Amino acid sequence: MRLSNKNKRAYFVLLSPFTIFAQSIKLETIILSIDTYMQEKIIILDFGSQTTQLIGRRIRELNVYCEIVPYNKFPQGDDSVKGVILSGSPFSVYDESAFKVDLSQLRGKYPILGICYGAQFISYSNGGKVEPAGTREYGRAHLSTFDKSNVLFKDVRENTQVWMSHGDTITAIPDNFRVIASTDKVKIAAYQAEGEKMWGVQFHPEVFHSEDGTQMLKNFVVDVCGCSQSWSAASFVDTTVAELKAQVGNDRVILGLSGGVDSSVAAVLLHRAIGKNLTCIFVDHGLLRKNEFKNVMHDYECLGLNVIGVDASEKFFKDLEGVTDPEQKRKIIGRDFVEVFNAEAHKITDAKWLAQGTIYPDRIESLNITGKTIKSHHNVGGLPEEMHLQLCEPLKWLFKDEVRRVGRQLGIPDHLISRHPFPGPGLAVRILGDITPEKVRILQDADDIFIQGLRDWKVTDEKGNETTLYHQVWQAGVILLPVQSVGVMGDERTYERAVALRAVTSTDAMTADWAHLPYEFLAKVSNDIINKVKGVNRVTYDISSKPPSTIEWE
């Protein structure tokens, strides 16, 4: 590939360890422009904390680009790196299995901020002491004292609340370090290495409950690291469209559409870059929401996309017959999707690229740094080696709310952009137990009543504007439970199915709280489902948050 001098772009090779179809596609080298990352970034070294992704979210909210990489995979020689953050970890620094990194490769070259385990590791590896706390320190605390002159605490309020979550504590710091903040119970709540741009905080500034946590992160990435806060949806669209043109050229690209926000935004982004050279394939596995296949096909036609629709529901139902294990369901759906998709893709004989709408949380949940899978995503691994195409993932570094901002920047209608996330395996992971067409019919009918009810119920937001419950909720759906219960309908005893309503609030799906829907709304939805959906006589509401629960039940 020859690049014009006008663009003056530096390029590097990136092979993602989390690629969609990691086991199903013979990958070629993917070329990405450093322009995509606005020529400056913060690197977050992931030591396995559940809140590592929240660090990334907070930094992105500051319009600063960042990447989360494994603790031992720092991108050496990348001139766009402006600073480094060390995350928390489930390990203790003195554990034999603890993740460790050679700080001499970073120290003095980049500003460094250690968070929780990261702070403990910096201190411990330089001669400080870390010991088990008398009791696990978890929850709210307040910085009773802190050095107001330190750049890390610029514009931080007196006695500000922070969030602690650790079983160990720093009991002594190296001689050339100094304490810059304390709480009533934690003497060394924050420190700085004398004469160096290196800090450690025992608390979690990325967590919502740390009141001035975002301000502290801003002080680090903007004031210390010198990031310009120029990363935005508009800049992402401009650089990514140019990037896609350079990456794909005149090649034909196939995109697997799901009807969701992610694949839709990826499709419009690619369409803007390569136009008619994009062909989209939308596979109906029979597990979509009620009338969704027809409605989504109409939406895509209105966007000017070239879409091939395939009804393969009969095949999916046959292959899922009798299967109850959720992981097996996902694998079967993934396998069948590739078979159906591949059959259609082979009709496009000159295609060289496969595009997908993978986003950051998909890859994070499928494999974290500890090597433990939370759950397999339909578009991340576990599929047959059949498709020999190069991979194109224009949204792979974005969180869901960022994808929506990009979609609005592209001019995609709001009814598409504001759609709730929907799992790739569809209703298969909302039916606990085996899958049958009758169960899907029951769930589709119940889900349609719930979702339409959320769309119709008017409320007033915090700014006094009229909106709907649907727009206040991040994700909602109905779960068909593998139980039956006794009921009375029309003076007759019934023994029918129970369903659970699920609705959560979130910003990025990494954490979520159950939505506090009005009792009057829940009563109406329950009544409508029981009266109108044949086969259901009981409705429950799921009030668990993530963590410890996940948003989907399977």
Side-chain angles (χ1 to χ4, degrees):
M1 178 188 298
R2 294 187 63 84
L3 305 176
S4 66
N5 290 330
K6 180 180 178 181
N7 288 331
K8 294 181 180 179
R9 288 191 177 115
Y11 280 76
F12 67 101
V13 175
L14 172 64
L15 291 177
S16 168
F18 304 95
T19 67
I20 302 177
F21 295 125
Q23 300 173 27
S24 65
I25 300 172
K26 182 179 180 181
L27 295 181
E28 302 293 337
T29 299
I30 302 169
I31 307 297
L32 294 178
S33 165
I34 283 182
D35 280 356
T36 301
Y37 309 112
M38 304 307 297
Q39 296 186 348
E40 61 179 27
K41 66 166 87 95
I42 297 294
I43 291 296
I44 301 168
L45 295 183
D46 183 11
F47 289 84
S49 170
Q50 290 185 344
T51 63
T52 300
Q53 290 72 40
L54 286 180
I55 304 172
R57 282 299 303 114
R58 298 297 172 255
I59 294 174
R60 297 276 187 92
E61 288 168 1
L62 296 169
N63 292 329
V64 173
Y65 184 77
C66 63
E67 285 182 26
I68 299 171
V69 301
Y71 69 98
N72 57 352
K73 299 294 182 182
F74 183 83
Q76 299 289 347
D78 187 344
D79 294 335
S80 65
V81 178
K82 305 288 282 185
V84 182
I85 296 177
L86 280 59
S87 82
S89 174
F91 296 107
S92 296
V93 292
Y94 42 77
D95 286 348
E96 289 186 8
S97 56
F99 298 138
K100 295 181 173 64
V101 65
D102 183 2
L103 289 176
S104 66
Q105 309 262 338
L106 308 174
R107 195 170 177 179
K109 298 178 183 178
Y110 309 97
I112 298 173
L113 173 64
I115 294 176
C116 197
Y117 173 92
Q120 294 173 0
F121 177 74
I122 291 172
S123 177
Y124 183 78
S125 61
N126 284 281
K129 231 182 237 192
V130 176
E131 299 178 291
T135 57
R136 180 175 171 80
E137 294 164 330
Y138 181 86
R140 294 172 176 83
H142 293 85
L143 296 186
S144 53
T145 60
F146 62 88
D147 182 354
K148 297 176 185 177
S149 66
N150 193 284
V151 63
L152 194 65
F153 297 123
K154 186 184 81 170
D155 295 330
V156 171
R157 291 165 289 184
E158 297 265 5
N159 205 40
T160 187
Q161 178 178 284
V162 295
W163 188 261
M164 295 286 187
S165 179
H166 55 92
D168 298 335
T169 192
I170 302 170
T171 55
I173 53 177
D175 293 339
N176 61 327
F177 286 30
R178 65 185 178 91
V179 177
I180 58 173
S182 303
T183 71
D184 290 341
K185 295 182 179 178
V186 181
K187 179 182 178 182
I188 307 172
Y191 62 75
Q192 181 181 2
E194 293 279 10
E196 295 186 54
K197 293 182 178 180
M198 185 163 69
W199 291 261
V201 294
Q202 183 63 79
F203 52 87
H204 288 268
E206 72 276 17
V207 173
F208 173 78
H209 300 292
S210 290
E211 294 173 336
D212 290 316
T214 299
Q215 179 63 46
M216 296 178 204
L217 291 173
K218 179 183 179 182
N219 293 339
F220 178 72
V221 302
V222 177
D223 293 350
V224 175
C225 300
C227 293
S228 62
Q229 295 183 278
S230 57
W231 195 77
S232 64
S235 65
F236 177 85
V237 169
D238 290 343
T239 56
T240 304
V241 167
E243 150 97 8
L244 289 169
K245 288 179 179 178
Q247 180 184 6
V248 175
N250 293 319
D251 295 344
R252 186 171 294 278
V253 179
I254 302 172
L255 171 69
L257 285 171
S258 68
V261 176
D262 306 331
S263 64
S264 299
V265 172
V268 175
L269 195 60
L270 274 160
H271 182 70
R272 178 171 290 192
I274 63 174
K276 60 182 176 60
N277 283 342
L278 172 67
T279 300
C280 303
I281 299 175
F282 183 20
V283 177
D284 180 8
H285 46 35
L287 300 162
L288 299 172
R289 283 183 158 135
K290 189 173 183 177
N291 299 323
E292 187 169 21
F293 184 68
K294 178 183 69 175
N295 294 338
V296 169
M297 284 295 291
H298 174 73
D299 286 335
Y300 287 148
E301 289 172 6
C302 292
L303 287 171
L305 299 178
N306 176 28
V307 185
I308 299 171
V310 184
D311 181 0
S313 54
E314 186 176 341
K315 172 180 176 58
F316 282 85
F317 280 130
K318 180 180 178 182
D319 291 348
L320 287 167
E321 186 175 354
V323 177
T324 60
D325 180 74
E327 276 297 291
Q328 193 177 355
K329 288 181 191 176
R330 290 176 179 271
K331 299 295 184 183
I332 290 171
I333 291 169
R335 181 199 67 200
D336 283 5
F337 173 84
V338 168
E339 290 177 3
V340 174
F341 185 91
N342 204 22
E344 290 297 323
H346 272 90
K347 298 175 185 178
I348 307 170
T349 55
D350 57 344
K352 295 183 179 180
W353 295 85
L354 174 70
Q356 289 284 343
T358 320
I359 64 173
Y360 219 176
D362 293 341
R363 301 184 292 119
I364 292 165
E365 282 202 333
S366 291
L367 180 65
N368 63 25
I369 192 63
T370 62
K372 296 179 181 179
T373 297
I374 297 173
K375 62 181 179 182
S376 295
H377 281 264
H378 70 290
N379 58 350
V380 183
L383 302 171
E385 296 182 3
E386 295 184 10
M387 304 179 72
H388 304 292
L389 298 170
Q390 296 178 85
L391 188 64
C392 179
E393 301 172 279
L395 307 178
K396 66 190 291 183
W397 298 107
L398 300 186
F399 289 89
K400 178 71 76 172
D401 57 326
E402 293 173 319
V403 174
R404 287 196 169 105
R405 289 202 292 272
V406 168
R408 292 188 177 97
Q409 184 68 33
L410 289 166
I412 299 175
D414 189 68
H415 77 273
L416 284 176
I417 294 302
S418 63
R419 290 187 65 190
H420 289 174
F422 188 67
L427 300 180
V429 293
R430 293 182 179 176
I431 296 174
L432 307 190
D434 64 322
I435 309 297
T436 67
E438 174 63 11
K439 288 181 180 180
V440 172
R441 192 274 306 166
I442 291 173
L443 186 52
Q444 283 179 333
D445 288 346
D447 182 82
D448 187 58
I449 290 171
F450 184 35
I451 297 301
Q452 192 57 49
L454 290 168
R455 291 185 184 276
D456 293 340
W457 197 274
K458 301 290 192 298
V459 293
T460 302
D461 64 19
E462 295 176 352
K463 298 180 180 178
N465 300 317
E466 186 178 77
T467 183
T468 67
L469 284 177
Y470 185 86
H471 285 91
Q472 288 193 336
V473 166
W474 168 268
Q475 184 172 344
V478 179
I479 314 300
L480 185 63
L481 304 179
V483 296
Q484 291 177 279
S485 67
V486 174
V488 178
M489 301 177 72
D491 296 326
E492 293 184 5
R493 179 185 184 276
T494 62
Y495 191 60
E496 295 181 334
R497 297 189 176 276
V499 298
L501 308 181
R502 180 69 159 147
V504 299
T505 56
S506 181
T507 57
D508 52 29
M510 300 310 302
T511 61
D513 192 15
W514 62 277
H516 294 232
L517 300 178
Y519 291 154
E520 297 83 1
F521 170 78
L522 291 172
K524 183 179 187 305
V525 169
S526 174
N527 188 64
D528 287 348
I529 289 175
I530 291 172
N531 286 335
K532 297 177 181 179
V533 181
K534 184 179 179 181
V536 175
N537 70 355
R538 190 174 299 274
V539 176
T540 65
Y541 187 50
D542 181 352
I543 59 169
S544 49
S545 298
K546 175 186 179 179
S549 302
T550 54
I551 296 175
E552 299 292 344
W553 281 39
E554 289 191 343

